Amino acid sequence: MATYIVLGDWTEQGVANFEQTVDRYDAGLSQMEAMGVSVKDRYWTLGNHDQVSIVEAPNDETLAAAMLKLTSRGSFRTTTLRAFSADEMRALIAKAS
C-alpha cells in the first residue's frame, strides 16, 4: 500500500457548515474504505490548511478516484502528496545510484 498526505481546505460551503466537519469526515471514511483507501490518522489544523490526513491506498488511481468522489460534495478541496517511508526512500536511492 502506498502512503499519502492529504491536505484539506474548506470551501465556503464547508466553512458555512463547520459544525458538521467531524460528522462529514466520518461519513466519508466508509466511502473511502469501500474504495480501498484506509485513513491512518486525521487532524484539523491551523495555518495554511484546515485538515491533514495520512492515508494508504493501493495506487494513485484509487486515491484519485476517492478524492474526486469526496470533493464532489463541495465542502473541501484537497492537495495530495505521495509519502515515502525510510525503507522506500532507501530503495529509491539504491535505484538512482
Side-chain angles (χ1 to χ4, degrees):
M1 293 283 265
T3 302
Y4 302 87
I5 310 299
V6 179
L7 306 173
D9 299 303
W10 286 340
T11 61
E12 289 200 25
Q13 176 183 325
V15 171
N17 298 299
F18 70 91
E19 302 94 345
Q20 300 165 358
T21 186
V22 177
D23 293 335
R24 280 194 312 257
Y25 199 111
D26 287 344
L29 284 176
S30 61
Q31 289 184 355
M32 290 178 68
E33 289 170 355
M35 296 181 78
V37 177
S38 173
V39 176
K40 297 301 176 190
D41 230 333
R42 62 182 175 164
Y43 302 94
W44 282 260
T45 57
L46 301 175
N48 291 334
H49 301 284
D50 299 309
Q51 298 170 336
V52 176
S53 299
I54 314 297
V55 303
E56 289 183 344
N59 53 52
D60 294 348
E61 294 81 7
T62 299
L63 184 64
M67 292 298 96
L68 285 170
K69 183 171 188 154
L70 292 175
T71 58
S72 71
R73 295 179 180 184
S75 293
F76 66 99
R77 289 179 292 279
T78 61
T79 301
T80 303
L81 308 168
R82 174 64 166 90
F84 299 94
S85 68
D87 289 340
E88 290 170 322
M89 194 63 203
R90 282 188 181 92
L92 290 169
I93 292 167
K95 191 180 277 194
S97 298

